[in-house]
Amino acid sequence: MTALRPAYITALGSFLPGEPIGNDQMEDVLGRIDGKPSRYRTRVLERNGILRRHYALDRNGQRLHSNYEMAARAVLNALARAGLNVGAVGYLATATTLSDVLVPGFASLVQGEAKIPPCDIASFHGVCASSVAALKSTFAQVRAGLVDTAVACGSEFASRHLRASVLERAGLRDRHGNLPFDAEFLRWMLSDGAGAAVVRNRPAERGLSLRIEWIDLRSHADTRETCMYAGATKPDGGGFTRLWADPASYDDPAVASMLVLRQDMTLLPAIVSLGLAHYLRLIEDGRVPTTPDWFVCHYSSTHFRAEVLKRLGEIGLDLPEERWFSNLTELGNTGSASLFLLLEGLLASGRLAEGQRIIAMVPESGRFITCYLAFTVVGPQDAGTPAAANVVRPPLVTPSPAPVADRAALTDALKQRLAVAWIDFAEALQQVPIIARLTSGRATLADYHALLLNLRQQVVDGSRWISRAASNITAEHFELRSLFTRHAAEEHRDFQMLERDYVATGGDLAHIRSQPKNVGSEAFSAFMFQAASRENPFALAGSMVIIEGLGNHLANEWGTAFCRQLGLTREQCTFMLYHGANDHHHLESLDRALGLLPLTQELVDEIVRTARITARLYRLQLEELGNC
């Protein structure tokens, strides 16, 4: 078997059309809807933090360049920096969200524009992560010895789809003449440009190169509906209801409305949790240093950066902001071009040194993809072999980390593993029938009644097993016992909220009180009571992370969705909305409890195991609604 070869990014190139466009100039280029300034522009820009961007349009909204022309210019720029001519290219991989034409593939257009002689090509279509797929394919080609030189590029021409004339023709305005937020939002988020990388089997003869260690891309389309899309209609959170090619005539006004690039804002927040879980799995697998020298992250808004840093801090991962590299404020969100423009900017910054480790992250909200890439900065004489992790993809179920003796390290490891358990639980819930109907906008009043009725029987037992657990905590752990006791007192009336919501939406009080537990609830309660009956049942901290996390992260989302879809008032969804607003206090108490636990590696493993059992049994009771 031929040994795999190392692969290096030896040069990066870019093409940014026109002059930088400031925030106050955007509508001069894109146009004003019906001549009126936007209601949302200032709010969106304050949140995303972008100050300047580039457009491939002139002030009259006319095209300055095609998408494939920008890509070709970036490719030629990268080759020139590498000291190569187009004849050296053995493989070309391209990425874009929306090509200039439906057929042929984007790679064919770019190859033709750049006048690259006959070579192997591939076109990757998607959103931001398509660039990672393109780069990964060049990495594989060079590593396998199929070619010595490959080029990957990404290019976006989003602005032409965001022009006022396009949106006016789409007929999406309400009776007041305003566009829906999800149609206008992306006008203030996206920009144009192209980037490219030359990947070779040896480092550059002069200067620094980036040795590609591994690339890990994971799609979550099995549990997530489409978030960013064009060419279809869909309800909030749901699947496509009509496709652009369905109308009998392309002159149908509906076609214009479906070709608007849109983002389902109800789904977007999921990208943070998905990306965090992916990162934690890579840490568990030993592929990511907890503090890389550089963290290169493509994000669409500074809001997301702040949220990621907050979440990392909560689980004991320190990723100092000075190690982050971003050019979002200066270049805007360039989609599939972003990865190459980020790496180009970092390499040109003069801040890299041989031996430094770079972790790059590219999330995509199309139908939710998370990507991580690892690079090592090397000089001309590098003869290193990429890590063995290149060869074998990490297992889907990651092993427990090696034993750790230090108390702080144990606490951090516990928080990180519990975070992964929680996110796995939240993802698995998306496949439960009632939750799938709710998140796709298809919930019924019968669904809501079934959920209230079945949860009530288990919630009645909640404070009882917490009280039993508290009674079995010995005196030397008095503070922990007090925390458990207070928690039981706070939970013991929750079942009455469920009853009131049931009656307020037409249910019968006697009926909800008389129903037995379903099969899943029986298993759930039995497990909780037996775990609570042990002396010092500290493993139940794992159960509480799952249950309180559900309230804190999903209850408000579910309650709001039921209200919207069924036309209910907040007073008819009090149980879910109350927990969504208040369970962060319980999580804060739980965090204090974790700090008081007498942690050992064995207890950490048991807490995580209990969390995963609890998650599976809680999901089982939702799968078994009505099966009494």
Side-chain angles (χ1 to χ4, degrees):
M1 179 178 176
T2 304
L4 296 176
R5 306 184 302 177
Y8 304 86
I9 294 178
T10 62
L12 292 134
S14 62
F15 179 76
L16 298 171
E19 296 297 321
I21 302 295
N23 290 347
D24 59 345
Q25 301 170 297
M26 297 178 73
E27 287 186 290
D28 294 337
V29 179
L30 298 178
R32 293 169 174 80
I33 308 297
D34 294 327
K36 298 184 296 185
S38 167
R39 297 183 302 158
Y40 300 120
R41 181 178 65 87
T42 300
R43 189 177 86 188
V44 174
L45 289 169
E46 286 175 351
R47 189 175 175 88
N48 66 32
I50 300 171
L51 301 177
R52 283 169 289 279
R53 77 282 297 142
H54 290 259
Y55 291 141
L57 298 174
D58 64 18
R59 296 298 175 115
N60 297 314
Q62 298 302 306
R63 172 169 58 87
L64 296 171
H65 309 279
S66 65
N67 197 5
Y68 64 80
E69 178 192 349
M70 291 192 289
R73 290 198 183 195
V75 167
L76 293 173
N77 181 228
L79 288 170
R81 289 178 175 176
L84 300 171
N85 60 43
V86 292
V89 180
Y91 175 69
L92 172 68
T94 66
T96 192
T97 301
L98 294 167
S99 179
D100 302 280
V101 298
L102 295 177
V103 178
F106 195 59
S108 294
L109 300 177
V110 176
Q111 180 197 356
E113 182 70 16
K115 303 303 181 188
I116 298 172
C119 66
D120 191 356
I121 65 171
S123 301
F124 289 87
H125 168 65
V127 195
C128 308
S130 59
S131 61
V132 180
L135 183 61
K136 188 171 184 178
S137 72
T138 63
F139 173 46
Q141 290 265 345
V142 172
R143 288 227 340 122
L146 298 176
V147 297
D148 292 336
T149 301
V151 177
C153 73
S155 184
E156 299 290 3
F157 191 171
S159 63
R160 61 183 166 191
H161 304 284
L162 306 173
R163 289 173 294 183
S165 58
V166 172
L167 295 170
E168 288 169 352
R169 190 171 64 252
L172 297 171
R173 287 164 289 184
D174 61 21
R175 60 189 179 89
H176 303 292
N178 298 314
L179 281 177
F181 183 65
D182 71 328
E184 188 177 337
F185 170 73
L186 292 176
R187 294 192 89 200
W188 320 121
M189 298 292 293
L190 303 179
S191 51
D192 304 340
V198 176
V199 180
R200 308 196 75 197
N201 63 330
R202 57 187 179 275
E205 295 179 0
R206 292 186 301 275
L208 299 176
S209 299
L210 304 179
R211 189 176 70 218
I212 306 173
E213 302 294 352
W214 49 260
I215 298 176
D216 200 87
L217 182 153
R218 297 187 183 186
S219 169
H220 307 275
D222 61 321
T223 60
R224 294 290 171 178
E225 285 290 348
T226 303
C227 178
M228 185 175 176
Y229 62 100
T233 58
K234 67 185 287 291
D236 287 349
F240 298 137
T241 55
R242 196 180 186 195
L243 306 178
W244 74 271
D246 287 346
S249 170
Y250 293 157
D251 293 330
D252 189 324
V255 175
S257 68
M258 285 188 278
L259 293 181
V260 171
L261 192 61
R262 305 179 74 164
Q263 187 142 41
D264 189 334
M265 304 303 293
T266 65
L267 301 176
L268 186 57
I271 197 65
V272 174
S273 294
L274 293 171
L276 180 62
H278 192 171
Y279 190 64
L280 292 175
R281 287 192 178 93
L282 291 169
I283 289 176
E284 283 187 349
D285 201 50
R287 305 180 81 189
V288 173
T290 54
T291 52
D293 297 295
W294 290 99
F295 189 72
V296 176
C297 186
H298 162 64
Y299 49 87
S300 61
S301 171
T302 53
H303 162 76
F304 284 117
R305 172 171 167 164
E307 179 66 16
V308 169
L309 284 168
K310 173 178 173 287
R311 297 279 293 273
L312 289 173
E314 289 172 349
I315 56 177
L317 283 174
D318 182 28
L319 198 57
E321 285 199 66
E322 60 269 19
R323 296 188 183 184
W324 285 61
F325 182 84
S326 171
N327 51 21
L328 177 72
T329 58
E330 300 302 313
L331 301 184
N333 180 357
T334 51
S336 65
S338 176
L339 173 64
F340 304 114
L341 297 176
L342 282 164
L343 293 176
E344 178 193 41
L346 180 58
L347 193 60
S349 70
R351 288 183 277 175
L352 293 183
E354 288 187 47
Q356 288 184 331
R357 293 287 305 276
I358 301 171
I359 296 298
M361 194 267 189
V362 178
E364 177 185 306
S365 62
R367 193 160 176 172
F368 295 101
I369 299 173
T370 55
C371 313
Y372 286 91
L373 309 90
F375 307 96
T376 301
V377 182
V378 301
Q381 304 305 315
D382 179 73
T385 301
N390 285 310
V391 181
V392 181
R393 183 178 176 85
L396 293 178
V397 180
T398 53
S400 299
V404 188
D406 178 71
R407 163 77 198 201
L410 278 171
T411 301
D412 289 346
L414 173 60
K415 289 181 178 180
Q416 291 161 26
R417 294 175 64 193
L418 286 175
V420 175
W422 155 251
I423 295 170
D424 284 346
F425 170 57
E427 283 303 290
L429 284 177
Q430 301 300 315
Q431 300 183 62
V432 175
I434 188 172
I435 304 305
R437 289 194 296 275
L438 180 63
T439 56
S440 63
R442 297 179 289 114
T444 65
L445 183 60
D447 286 329
Y448 186 54
H449 278 177
L451 185 60
L452 296 177
L453 188 149
N454 285 261
L455 284 180
R456 186 264 182 199
Q457 319 312 331
Q458 173 261 117
V459 169
V460 167
D461 286 343
S463 63
R464 294 177 60 212
W465 64 256
I466 299 172
S467 298
R468 180 177 295 187
S471 70
N472 283 311
I473 297 176
T474 55
E476 63 266 31
H477 301 292
F478 178 79
E479 286 190 64
L480 276 169
R481 184 165 66 189
S482 296
L483 283 173
F484 272 62
T485 300
R486 284 198 296 272
H487 189 59
E490 292 170 356
E491 297 279 346
H492 82 289
R493 295 184 185 275
D494 280 3
F495 74 94
Q496 294 178 335
M497 281 192 284
L498 280 160
E499 292 178 348
R500 288 195 294 270
D501 288 346
Y502 188 74
V503 173
T505 52
D508 178 70
L509 182 61
H511 181 65
I512 192 172
R513 287 179 173 176
S514 66
Q515 292 303 296
K517 296 183 182 73
N518 72 35
V519 171
S521 295
E522 289 283 9
F524 180 86
S525 288
F527 174 76
M528 302 307 291
F529 276 114
Q530 68 85 19
S533 300
R534 302 173 184 172
E535 182 173 274
N536 292 326
F538 300 137
L540 283 174
S543 299
M544 292 179 179
V545 165
I546 298 299
I547 297 168
E548 299 304 333
L550 184 65
N552 187 56
H553 297 297
L554 293 179
N556 185 70
E557 177 185 321
W558 290 356
T560 301
F562 273 121
C563 285
R564 184 177 66 249
Q565 293 174 35
L566 304 181
L568 304 178
T569 66
R570 295 183 65 84
E571 289 70 29
Q572 293 171 306
C573 292
T574 58
F575 176 79
M576 294 179 194
L577 296 179
Y578 167 81
H579 282 280
N582 292 281
D583 275 11
H584 65 280
H585 298 304
H586 293 165
L587 287 177
E588 290 169 359
S589 297
L590 181 57
D591 192 60
R592 290 197 297 274
L594 293 178
L596 296 171
L597 291 173
L599 288 182
T600 62
Q601 185 62 51
E602 291 72 22
L603 180 56
V604 167
D605 291 341
E606 185 61 20
I607 290 171
V608 175
R609 179 175 181 272
T610 300
R612 291 195 172 278
I613 293 172
T614 302
R616 180 64 190 97
L617 294 177
Y618 200 103
R619 181 159 58 101
L620 182 63
Q621 74 170 335
L622 297 181
E623 293 170 348
E624 295 288 339
L625 295 186
N627 184 12
C628 302

